[in-house]
Amino acid sequence: MHGEYKVPGGKLVVVDLEVEDGALRHVRVAGDFFLEPDEALLDINRALEGAPADTPAPELAARIDAALPEGTVMFGFSSEAVGIAVRRALAQATDWHHYEWQLIHDGPQSPALHMALDEVLTAEVAAGRRPPTLRVWEWASPAVVIGSFQSLRNEVDPEGAERHGMTVVRRISGGGAMFIEPGNTITYSLCVPDALVQGLSFADSYAYLDDWVLGALEGMGVKAWYQPLNDIATEAGKIAGAAQKRVVSGRGAVLHHVTMAYDIDADKMLDVLRIGKEKLSDKGTKSAKKRVDPLRRQTGLAREAVIERMVASFRGRYGLADGAVTPEEMARAEELAATKFSSEEWTARVP
């Protein structure tokens, strides 16, 4: 069995192993990481040898830590990363390079249609009828997108939303509200097979699926990192938030979508969203205005240039062919946009 895990912002960990009588055997750890002393690699292998095959990643990491000599230096990886790589090997997880990725980047579309396209395209990936897809959104109008489990009245000021002409829609993933203005927002979705994130915890999958965009940002001079559970942050402030939805039908799939602040009208945002003190209490700031630091200021690039560089970064890592929504997919998405995502029943399902 073979497993790989690219540490977000770090190095690649590779594990080859066999399972005999329910235990790990012939474990061999490798990668492009740095480790001192050299002999510590043998200690890592020995620590994993004979471990029960159902051992969770944190317990595998504890076995490694207990076996390493004092003063061992692990750079670009960790014992936890090795444990994850083992779990991915046992789960027979796939890698980014196992797929032919498709890009969808269409013209501006309504908020309800964007919600519907995410649901339809992820279901098509789960059914095996669509390759893994990166979709870059263009917005036809301003919107507030609330999470699947958020209270509508607690999150949105209806008078403020009406005053600024903002459509309120509810997405199928959890997480917090997204404040959308077409020229100020960069949004993308990844619709991926479940096999890509096998062996990863729910939390680890967030950072794993966005490691590529951290590399793209670094290429634009922005040092960013994942701030658990679902924020992309810099020293200057938050620049993005992510959310996920798991589809269990067919072969299984994961929808992972991210909204990034290219620019922001913070006063308008506070006029529309009801951002309470409790939500801000663990963010280390008293003002929601100070939480977000847009990409426009940090990169000095036009929005279109930021998107081009992001797409180029993904293509350079994993390959990416231009694609399109099929007529059948669009027909289904338009139906869902009208019957579900534009309905009061769905939008106010948590009043």
Side-chain angles (χ1 to χ4, degrees), residues 3-7 10-14 30-33 76-77 81 95:
E4 297 185 1
Y5 177 60
K6 169 66 168 61
V7 180
K11 298 298 184 178
L12 180 68
V13 180
V14 180
D32 60 356
F33 48 76
F77 80 122
D95 181 70

Side-chain angles (χ1 to χ4, degrees), residues 94 99 101 125-126 131-133 191-198 251-254:
T94 56
Y99 301 103
W101 293 86
V125 171
T133 300
C191 304
V192 307
D194 183 69
L196 183 63
V197 297
Q198 282 297 305
R251 304 173 187 176
V254 178

